Amino acid sequence: MSKKLILVVCGAGTLTSVVAAQGIQEGLEKKGFSDFEVKTGRIDEVERLQDRISVLVSTMNIRQQYSFPVVNAIAFLTGDESGMEKAIDKVAECLRKE
C-alpha cells in the first residue's frame, strides 16, 4: 500500500509551500502519523497528481472543488500558532478518514 500523499501548494511552489509543508510534516509526526508523504508544488500541479492526492494543503485561497479535502494553511505564513495547529488537526482528521 502506498503512502498517503499530502500536496502542499502555493503560487510559485517554492518558499511558502515549503514552510507550510515542514510545519505539517512535523505536526503530523508529533501526532504519531508515519504513513504519509508530503510534496510541495505549484497549484497547477494538482491536476497532474490528482489521482494520488489524499489531502491538498494550500497557502492561498482555493475556490475550485476537488474530490479530496483542501486545507487552508495561510496560518503558517502569518505565524498564527492556533491556526497552524488547526490546519495540522484538519489534515490529521482527513488522513484518519481515508
Side-chain angles (χ1 to χ4, degrees):
M1 188 167 139
S2 63
K3 292 184 175 191
K4 296 173 182 175
L5 176 62
I6 301 165
L7 180 63
V8 183
V9 298
C10 63
T14 54
L15 183 61
T16 60
S17 62
V18 171
V19 169
Q22 288 172 340
I24 296 290
Q25 174 125 12
E26 290 171 8
L28 290 174
E29 288 172 351
K30 285 180 184 175
K31 292 181 179 297
F33 286 86
S34 61
D35 192 30
F36 67 92
E37 172 187 9
V38 177
K39 284 186 176 259
T40 59
R42 295 185 320 256
I43 189 66
D44 61 2
E45 294 179 70
V46 172
E47 188 174 325
R48 180 176 62 85
L49 295 170
Q50 66 184 342
D51 292 338
R52 290 195 48 224
I53 297 172
S54 296
V55 183
L56 176 64
V57 178
S58 178
T59 61
M60 49 196 257
N61 288 324
I62 294 182
R63 293 192 175 111
Q64 184 169 339
Q65 297 294 313
Y66 295 102
S67 61
F68 40 80
V70 177
V71 175
N72 183 308
I74 291 174
F76 285 94
L77 308 181
T78 63
D80 174 9
E81 290 188 30
S82 173
M84 288 186 263
E85 195 60 38
K86 286 178 185 175
I88 293 165
D89 288 344
K90 180 72 173 171
V91 172
E93 179 184 326
C94 294
L95 292 178
R96 280 188 203 103
K97 288 181 180 178
E98 196 172 273

